[in-house]
């Protein structure tokens, strides 16, 4: 059968030579180059494409639930967790005040699930629960956010109680280290972590518990799926996955492919758009403290509405060294000697076309890199005692910081700004169905055994793990029992993939490129302008 021609906006395969992520500097010896079996299995009950947080937790829920006795094969184009999860900014932070209420509850449950998962298993991923502070750098944005929080206080006080809008200048400049912010939103449920190590733990645990056998968990790295084909005439294994190393027949396929989804489902090229992010590990300025660097104490998002595009940067600080160091010890000749690297992502307003449509992560853009190195001085007080007159030990307070790592990663942006989770309707199959008389393509029961869990629009960490649980429940026809007699939060109905939703997304929402050009943001599921008409 002929391979479908590449369509406009379609992503390519992950690039073989990617930029070096900070999170990949300590790769798992068990996972690097791992292939559970020397050859690809001929067939499997379940095939998961992608080994990031979605694929890993889908395998976890599958093998620790209804799929325990099933054969599960995971195909990864590069090394395990070498895509967006291994390239993000290290945040796990629900955006409670901008989300639709149903989504806010789901994100909060996902955050708590990951927090408890890490604690119960003692996952060595540097999880640090610390408040998330969203700096609002322009009055237009303060007005939008304040109005929506006021609505939440009336309609959903349980969500509103989780966030605080701070306008007091002394508190902004002091405790929150934001001398130039107009206001800030403080969210108590937020964390920083080493995301690659979390996923590596999940995958290593699966490999240890389910060694090679008919019911194994079989991980195959460096095995890109080049084509997905619906097999004619097969009732038990209706899908064939083509790779450079051979083919695998699958009873059920889950695409955990995020920004690369359109490579295998070209019909979704206008629905899930690849978008490149850029991140830098910055050496903090030295200050007179025991560790030599300031303890920032919060994670941050910096929002602004400077035309023509808004600023959207995000920051965490790596843990400080436990060993005391000289107050002015330097790293690389500039920064403090107590660890505490600053992981800053963003700057898409400086990228080509806002980085929309970019699916290659083998380059960094110099203009974005220059922004990231210079963005924090003047915006974040990095002195030992915020708000004090004593400046950091630096030649100039506005001097750019030094970057020890700069890397890029590919996000999957959703046209209607909600994840796509569930059975892929027949209208989005990679090829016309061979039995159109029986496939309606309108249900969510998986008419062809093909499922998708992707498109988090740069916000996957507080979503993906339990979205993976939800899609596994759909795949297996099971439900998840709640703890203590309580039912877990359901997947938001607006995230479920249907043919009708595809039509609505195309009819009612701009393409991602047009959305970004207009300078919009989404609050409570609706697009709003970042800049007032005045």
């Amino acid at each position: 059968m002929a391979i479908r021609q590449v369509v406009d906006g379609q992503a390519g395969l992950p690039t073989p030579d990617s930029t070096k992520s900070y999170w990949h500097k300590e790769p798992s010896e068990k996972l690097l180059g791992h292939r559970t079996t020397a050859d690809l299995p001929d067939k499997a009950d379940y095939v998961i494409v992608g080994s990031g947080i979605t694929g890993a937790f889908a395998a976890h829920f599958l093998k620790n639930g209804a799929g325990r006795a099933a054969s599960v094969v995971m195909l990864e184009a590069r090394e395990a967790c070498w895509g967006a999860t291994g390239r993000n900014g290290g945040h796990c932070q629900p955006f409670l005040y901008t989300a639709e209420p149903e989504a806010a509850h789901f994100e909060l449950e996902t955050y708590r699930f990951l927090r408890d998962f890490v604690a119960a298993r003692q996952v060595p991923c540097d999880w640090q629960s610390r408040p998330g502070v969203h700096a609002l750098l322009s009055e237009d944005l303060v007005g939008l956010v304040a109005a929506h929080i006021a609505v939440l206080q009336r309609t959903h006080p349980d969500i509103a109680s989780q966030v605080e809008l701070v306008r007091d200048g002394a508190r902004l400049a002091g405790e929150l280290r934001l001398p130039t912010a107009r206001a800030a939103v403080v969210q108590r449920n937020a964390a920083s972590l080493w995301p690659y190590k979390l996923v590596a733990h999940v995958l290593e645990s699966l490999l240890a518990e389910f060694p090679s056998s008919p019911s194994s968990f079989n991980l195959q790295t460096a095995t890109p799926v080049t084509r997905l084909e619906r097999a004619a005439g097969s009732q038990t294994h209706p899908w064939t996955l083509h790779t450079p190393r051979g083919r695998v027949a699958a009873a059920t396929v889950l695409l955990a492919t995020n920004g690369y989804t359109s490579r295998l489902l070209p019909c979704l090229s206008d629905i899930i758009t690849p978008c490149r992010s850029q991140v830098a590990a910055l050496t903090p300025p030295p200050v007179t403290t025991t560790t030599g660097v300031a303890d920032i104490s919060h994670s941050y998002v910096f929002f602004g509405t400077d035309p023509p595009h808004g600023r959207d940067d995000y920051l965490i600080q790596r843990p400080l060294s436990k060993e005391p160091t000289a107050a002015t010890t330097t790293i690389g000749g500039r920064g403090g000697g107590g660890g505490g690297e600053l992981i800053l992502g963003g700057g898409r307003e400086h990228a080509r076309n806002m980085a929309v449509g970019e699916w290659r992560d083998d380059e960094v853009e110099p203009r974005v890199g220059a922004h990231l190195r210079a963005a924090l001085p003047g915006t974040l007080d990095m002195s030992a005692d915020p708000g004090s007159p004593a400046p950091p030990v630096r030649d100039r307070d506005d001097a750019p910081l030094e970057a020890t790592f700069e890397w890029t990663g590919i996000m999957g942006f959703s046209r209607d700004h909600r994840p796509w989770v569930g059975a892929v309707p027949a209208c989005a199959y990679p090829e016309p169905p061979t039995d159109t008389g029986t496939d309606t393509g309108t249900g969510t029961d998986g008419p062809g055994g093909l499922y998708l869990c992707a498109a988090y629009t740069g916000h996957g960490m507080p979503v993906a793990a339990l979205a993976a649980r939800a899609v596994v429940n759909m795949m297996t026809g099971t439900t998840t029992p709640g703890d203590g007699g309580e039912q877990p939060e359901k997947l938001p109905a607006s995230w479920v993939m249907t043919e009708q939703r595809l039509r609505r997304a195309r009819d009612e929402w701009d393409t991602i490129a047009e959305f970004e050009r207009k300078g919009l943001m989404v609050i409570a599921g609706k697009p709003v302008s970042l800049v007032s008409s005045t």
Side-chain angles (χ1 to χ4, degrees):
M1 184 174 292
I3 299 176
R4 180 190 293 267
Q5 296 298 310
V6 174
V7 301
D8 184 39
Q10 184 179 4
L13 290 172
T15 56
D17 299 315
S18 54
T19 52
K20 182 65 178 294
S21 167
Y22 176 96
W23 309 120
H24 291 149
K25 68 177 184 173
E26 297 177 16
S28 163
E29 294 182 3
K30 296 179 181 178
L31 299 180
L32 205 61
H34 180 89
R35 289 176 177 172
T36 304
T37 56
D39 298 320
L40 285 180
D42 294 330
K43 61 183 179 179
D45 297 320
Y46 298 92
V47 173
I48 299 172
V49 184
S51 63
I53 189 169
T54 301
F57 274 98
H60 166 81
F61 287 116
L62 192 58
K63 293 301 293 180
N64 288 281
R68 189 170 188 85
S71 58
V72 177
V73 173
M74 177 176 286
L75 302 177
E76 170 54 54
R78 299 186 291 203
E79 298 291 351
C81 196
W82 227 248
T85 308
R87 298 175 174 278
N88 66 27
H91 292 251
C92 184
Q93 186 172 149
F95 275 24
L96 300 180
Y97 66 95
T98 60
E100 296 169 280
E102 189 179 22
H105 286 296
F106 189 85
E107 289 189 20
L108 188 57
E109 184 188 8
T110 303
Y111 165 82
R112 290 169 174 163
F113 164 79
L114 289 175
R115 179 198 63 193
D116 297 345
F117 182 93
V118 169
R121 293 175 171 241
Q122 298 184 316
V123 182
C125 65
D126 296 339
W127 180 281
Q128 289 189 312
S129 294
R130 47 178 52 190
V133 177
H134 294 192
L136 308 180
L137 305 179
S138 55
E139 285 295 339
D140 291 320
L141 195 55
V142 175
L144 285 172
V145 170
H148 186 59
I149 290 178
V151 171
L152 286 177
Q153 289 171 339
R154 295 194 304 270
T155 61
H156 294 85
D158 55 331
I159 298 175
S161 68
Q162 304 292 319
V163 301
E164 178 187 8
L165 180 63
V166 177
R167 299 195 193 200
D168 177 67
R171 186 178 173 194
L172 288 169
E175 173 195 345
L176 301 184
R177 297 179 174 270
L178 298 171
T180 62
R182 303 300 181 89
V185 177
V186 180
Q187 298 193 144
R188 71 173 67 109
N189 293 290
S192 64
L193 74 155
W194 193 309
Y196 169 84
K197 289 188 176 183
L198 170 61
V199 171
H201 170 87
V202 174
L203 295 177
E204 289 174 3
S205 298
L206 288 166
L207 291 170
E209 186 174 359
F210 300 97
S212 183
S213 70
S215 60
S216 71
F217 172 68
N218 189 324
L219 171 62
Q220 296 285 327
T221 63
T223 307
V225 178
T226 56
R227 183 160 60 100
L228 180 63
E229 180 183 12
R230 187 141 190 238
S234 175
Q235 297 299 314
T236 59
H237 293 78
W239 292 98
T240 300
L241 298 98
H242 296 256
T243 82
R245 299 176 52 225
R247 296 180 289 184
V248 182
T252 302
V253 175
L254 172 61
L255 300 181
T257 42
N258 208 28
Y260 298 101
T261 298
S262 64
R263 180 61 180 82
L264 297 177
L265 298 179
C267 288
L268 299 186
S269 294
D270 64 328
I271 295 293
I272 302 177
T273 301
C275 189
R276 185 164 62 202
S277 64
Q278 189 159 319
V279 190
L282 303 171
T283 302
V287 295
T288 306
T289 63
T290 303
T291 61
V293 296
D295 184 355
I296 303 301
S297 303
H298 301 88
S299 60
Y300 287 89
V301 177
F302 303 96
F303 285 135
T305 59
D306 295 333
H309 303 294
R311 179 179 172 183
D312 182 5
D313 298 339
Y314 39 96
L315 172 75
I316 64 164
Q317 183 178 36
R318 296 283 299 127
L320 298 175
S321 171
K322 296 180 182 178
E323 299 297 327
T325 61
T328 56
T329 299
T330 62
I331 298 174
R334 289 288 305 275
E341 298 98 327
L342 303 169
I343 309 298
L344 180 68
R348 283 200 304 116
E349 67 272 21
H350 300 285
R352 297 187 301 268
N353 301 317
M354 290 286 288
V356 174
E358 297 281 1
W359 53 266
R360 302 182 65 94
D361 58 11
D362 54 357
E363 67 169 347
V364 296
E365 293 200 48
R367 288 185 61 203
V368 179
H371 165 80
L372 294 175
R373 292 189 295 274
L376 291 180
T379 302
L380 183 71
D381 185 344
M382 294 176 282
S383 61
D385 183 11
S388 70
V393 184
R394 306 174 70 195
D395 296 334
R396 289 184 15 245
D397 286 349
D398 61 347
L401 302 179
E402 179 181 326
T404 55
F405 283 81
E406 293 182 278
W407 67 96
T408 51
I410 307 305
M411 305 174 286
F413 274 34
S414 167
R415 184 158 178 167
D416 66 3
H417 298 263
R418 301 175 178 96
W420 293 84
V421 183
V424 176
C427 67
Y429 283 174
E431 296 160 346
T434 57
D435 53 346
T436 55
T438 58
D439 278 334
T440 64
T442 58
T444 58
D445 296 330
L450 178 61
Y451 292 80
L452 177 65
C453 190
Y456 307 116
T457 314
H459 189 55
M461 290 302 294
V463 171
L466 293 193
R469 181 183 70 183
V471 81
V472 165
N473 288 345
M474 296 177 194
M475 290 159 58
T476 58
T478 58
T479 58
T480 300
D483 296 327
E486 297 180 359
Q487 288 299 313
E489 292 290 343
K490 293 181 179 179
L491 184 80
S494 61
W495 295 6
V496 176
M497 188 171 194
T498 65
E499 184 176 354
Q500 291 88 344
R501 181 184 164 199
L502 286 170
R503 288 198 298 266
R504 288 197 305 270
R506 291 182 171 115
D507 292 342
E508 300 173 9
W509 289 82
D510 290 321
T511 65
I512 293 299
E514 184 67 9
F515 184 93
E516 297 282 11
R517 188 190 68 77
K518 291 180 179 179
L520 302 175
M521 71 177 296
V522 174
I523 295 182
K526 297 179 180 180
V528 297
S529 175
L530 284 171
V531 183
S532 69
S533 57
T534 58

